[in-house]
């Protein structure tokens, strides 16, 4: 399956749909994003902007989700910023805490007030 994200105002993802790979494969057996976006617009009788996305992150850094933003400069889908203190990793286009989460058997949650990871009591 091929997955496409519909871009809305401000390049915010409004929906993600799947279509058969044969729809985006040209006569030479090469996948073409434009074939997919043209097919979807014809199907829905629209002129929307659709960008291909990939579950295994082969293209555009991250799989698009509703509410994500497409960044044209980075050619990447970026999730909404989870906390004000988090920083965008330019290589992965994923948000990272300013302090790395401890690696051990505990479960943690981010505490924005103290800028620390708090242990989750189970």
């Amino acid at each position: 399956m091929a997955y496409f994200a519909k871009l809305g105002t401000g390049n915010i993802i409004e929906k993600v749909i799947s279509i058969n790979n044969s729809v985006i494969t040209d006569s030479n057996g090469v996948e073409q994003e434009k074939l997919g976006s043209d097919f979807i617009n014809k199907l829905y009788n629209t002129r929307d902007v659709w960008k291909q996305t990939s579950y295994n992150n082969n293209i555009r850094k991250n799989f698009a989700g509703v509410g994500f933003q497409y960044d044209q400069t980075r050619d990447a889908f970026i999730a909404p910023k989870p906390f004000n203190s988090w920083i965008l990793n330019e290589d992965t286009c994923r948000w990272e805490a300013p302090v790395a989460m401890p690696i051990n058997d505990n479960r943690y949650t981010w505490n924005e007030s103290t800028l620390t990871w708090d242990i989750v009591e189970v």
Side-chain angles (χ1 to χ4, degrees):
M1 298 302 284
Y3 296 89
F4 282 78
K6 178 183 174 188
L7 277 56
T9 304
N11 285 342
I12 302 298
I13 307 308
E14 294 181 349
K15 89 166 51 167
V16 179
I17 65 169
S18 63
I19 59 176
N20 193 294
N21 281 65
S22 64
V23 171
I24 66 168
T25 305
D26 67 17
S27 59
N28 295 318
V30 178
E31 290 187 357
Q32 301 287 338
E33 180 178 40
K34 184 170 179 358
L35 293 174
S37 61
D38 289 348
F39 172 83
I40 296 165
N41 279 323
K42 185 175 180 182
L43 180 69
Y44 290 117
N45 194 28
T46 62
R47 293 184 180 181
D48 294 324
V49 176
W50 295 87
K51 292 289 184 180
Q52 192 171 2
T53 186
S54 169
Y55 265 120
N56 54 16
N57 305 329
N58 283 340
I59 56 174
R60 302 201 166 97
K61 309 277 186 182
N62 302 295
F63 186 77
V66 172
F68 281 41
Q69 184 174 32
Y70 172 68
D71 184 307
Q72 191 169 359
T73 303
R74 295 177 179 98
D75 191 27
F77 294 111
I78 302 173
K81 190 173 187 176
F83 299 98
N84 285 334
S85 66
W86 287 34
I87 304 154
L88 186 67
N89 178 315
E90 291 290 335
D91 293 328
T92 64
C93 286
R94 292 184 182 176
W95 298 104
E96 295 178 352
V99 176
M101 185 173 67
I103 300 173
N104 54 42
D105 292 334
N106 293 321
R107 293 181 61 197
Y108 292 90
T109 186
W110 179 251
N111 184 327
E112 184 69 3
S113 298
T114 61
L115 301 179
T116 59
W117 291 98
D118 292 344
I119 295 176
V120 174
E121 301 295 331
V122 279

